[in-house]
Amino acid sequence: MIDYKIYIELGNHNCVHKMLSTAFYTEEELEKRGAIYIDTVSLEDNDDTVNGQCLQNTYFVDKYGEPVLDGEGKSNFKYEISKIVKLSKEEKEQFFPPVKTQPSELEKLKLEQEVTAQAVQDLILMMMGGE
C-alpha cells in the first residue's frame, strides 16, 4: 500500500478550487504553495502514476459525491472550520454571480446596421407619404 496525502487550495470565500496530493508533489512543495492538508488515502502498490491519476480524478467524487468543480468551473465546496462543506445553491449564486457578457464588435456592428436599415426604411416611407 502507498499512502498519499490529500491537500486543497482555496480561492475566494474559502472555496476549494483545486485538490492536490503527494502522488505528484512533495509535502514541502504543497506547503510552499499554501495548500491545506485534509486527508491521507492508501492505495494499492501497483503503478504510482495510474494510482495518482485515479486519486486526483475520483477523490472528491468518492468522498463527497461531486468533483471539486462543477461543469462551469465553479467550486462545489468550501473549507470551513477545518472541514470540507458542500456549497449551497444560494452560496454558489452569491459567490459566482452570472457574468454578463459584453457584445462583441461584430455583434455591435450588426446591431448598428439593423438600426440604420430600419431608420432608412422609416425615412423612405415618410418621404413617400406613408406612416
Side-chain angles (χ1 to χ4, degrees):
M1 295 290 261
I2 298 176
D3 289 338
Y4 294 109
K5 291 187 177 183
I6 308 297
Y7 289 76
I8 55 172
E9 287 186 336
L10 304 178
N12 293 336
H13 311 289
N14 282 342
C15 290
V16 178
H17 76 93
K18 190 178 278 186
M19 188 211 94
L20 305 163
S21 74
T22 54
F24 297 107
Y25 300 94
T26 66
E27 288 181 60
E28 294 79 27
E29 290 172 319
L30 293 166
E31 289 169 8
K32 269 186 188 176
R33 291 175 71 140
I36 300 167
Y37 168 79
I38 59 166
D39 198 4
T40 299
V41 175
S42 296
L43 297 176
E44 292 297 322
D45 187 13
N46 294 335
D47 178 0
D48 287 347
T49 305
V50 172
N51 282 340
Q53 191 63 45
C54 290
L55 177 65
Q56 292 288 121
N57 292 332
T58 64
Y59 175 82
F60 264 77
V61 173
D62 292 344
K63 183 136 184 161
Y64 302 105
E66 293 187 39
V68 171
L69 305 176
D70 66 16
E72 297 176 352
K74 299 174 183 175
S75 298
N76 282 322
F77 303 94
K78 64 182 174 181
Y79 188 68
E80 188 174 81
I81 313 170
S82 299
K83 64 181 181 178
I84 303 294
V85 178
K86 184 169 176 7
L87 288 172
S88 68
K89 183 178 178 180
E90 293 78 20
E91 287 174 312
K92 282 185 96 164
E93 289 172 358
Q94 177 188 353
F95 297 158
F96 310 106
V99 177
K100 290 185 178 180
T101 57
Q102 296 295 321
S104 68
E105 289 300 314
L106 181 58
E107 291 169 328
K108 289 178 187 176
L109 287 172
K110 283 182 179 180
L111 181 58
E112 285 179 30
Q113 183 182 19
E114 289 172 12
V115 169
T116 302
Q118 185 62 50
V120 168
Q121 285 178 350
D122 291 346
L123 184 59
I124 290 171
L125 280 174
M126 269 182 22
M127 291 176 68
M128 296 179 73
E131 293 182 22

